[in-house]
Amino acid sequence: MTPRASSASGASVGPGDLAGLARRLRALPPSCGPVRLVAVDGHAGSGKSTLAGRLAAEPGGAPVLHLDDLASHDALFEWTGRVLEQVVAPLAHGEPARYGVYDWERRVFDGERTLPPAPVVLVEGVGAGRRALRPHLACVLWLDVPREEAWARGRRRDGPRLDAFWDGWERAEERHFAADPTRPYADHLVRRDAGGYLVRPGPRGADAESARAHGG
């Protein structure tokens, strides 16, 4: 967060099969009123916004909530209340969500965006699969890129102008995931490869499949 799939049975989806993953997300039970909220989480620089954009562009589409819009310099991870009040609450009633948008250049919340109660809504950003949101999520996708690799990508993308921001960000992200990890609760682990994307069962998805196989 810097200024600006698998089958129903848990088997891996082939490289680039985002259309298949999108279909499976739409087939999940609603988790927030009529909406299937899907978290796209991972370390900063791991490719979350790209994956969310690709999924949103699949047939049927899906609006995307970028958590960058709800965070701020003073609250890199303290945005849970805004998400629950401005996004989750109205969607749970089948109503559009309207939320303030943070301007990272001017350092103020300025403007408003609307998120429709679509069948699938993607929540993209570091910490999207956090503990406080998981009761409202239909699925958690984790971009399975090692922390150091993801951070190096992000620094290259943003350039030396944001080095000081990244220094502070890395410490904040490390503290967040130490206290509230997402990966152990991921339904699917997603990684870019030469063919596009490889989607594998995540820890929670693997546990669910094991329980089904043993009659749980």
Side-chain angles (χ1 to χ4, degrees):
M1 181 180 299
T2 56
R4 357 187 189 172
S6 89
S7 71
S9 65
S12 296
V13 173
D17 188 16
L18 290 186
L21 176 57
R23 287 194 299 271
R24 290 170 175 89
L25 294 177
R26 291 195 296 272
L28 292 170
S31 60
C32 182
V35 176
R36 296 149 186 86
L37 277 183
V38 176
V40 182
D41 204 341
H43 297 293
S46 60
K48 299 176 299 302
S49 60
T50 299
L51 174 62
R54 292 281 301 277
L55 284 170
E58 291 296 329
V64 181
L65 169 66
H66 297 284
L67 290 174
D68 283 0
D69 291 340
L70 288 153
S72 69
H73 286 88
D74 297 326
L76 294 176
F77 287 95
E78 293 76 29
W79 39 256
T80 303
R82 283 196 289 274
V83 173
L84 291 174
E85 294 167 12
Q86 299 180 32
V87 178
V88 171
L91 292 183
H93 290 91
E95 300 171 354
R98 295 178 176 83
Y99 56 94
V101 176
Y102 186 67
D103 186 321
W104 286 89
E105 296 295 329
R106 297 173 54 223
R107 297 184 175 231
V108 295
F109 279 92
D110 185 23
E112 184 181 80
R113 287 187 183 152
T114 301
L115 196 67
V120 175
V121 172
L122 303 171
V123 182
E124 174 274 318
V126 180
R130 62 175 42 185
R131 184 183 304 115
L133 296 186
R134 283 197 292 271
H136 309 284
L137 298 175
C139 182
V140 176
L141 306 179
W142 175 263
L143 267 293
D144 205 26
V145 179
R147 181 179 67 184
E148 289 75 15
E149 179 183 336
W151 286 352
R153 287 183 188 176
R155 283 181 178 270
R156 287 195 299 270
R157 176 194 66 203
D158 293 341
R161 180 176 67 89
L162 291 178
D163 277 351
F165 177 89
W166 270 95
D167 290 343
W169 172 267
E170 290 175 3
R171 292 190 294 270
E173 184 184 303
E174 189 172 15
R175 288 193 300 269
H176 168 73
F177 281 132
D180 192 355
T182 293
R183 193 182 189 281
Y185 301 94
D187 297 286
H188 306 302
L189 303 178
V190 185
R191 177 87 192 220
R192 289 291 297 265
D193 71 359
Y197 288 93
L198 178 65
V199 184
R200 299 179 290 115
R204 187 166 70 174
D207 288 347
E209 173 61 16
S210 177
R212 284 193 294 269
H214 291 87

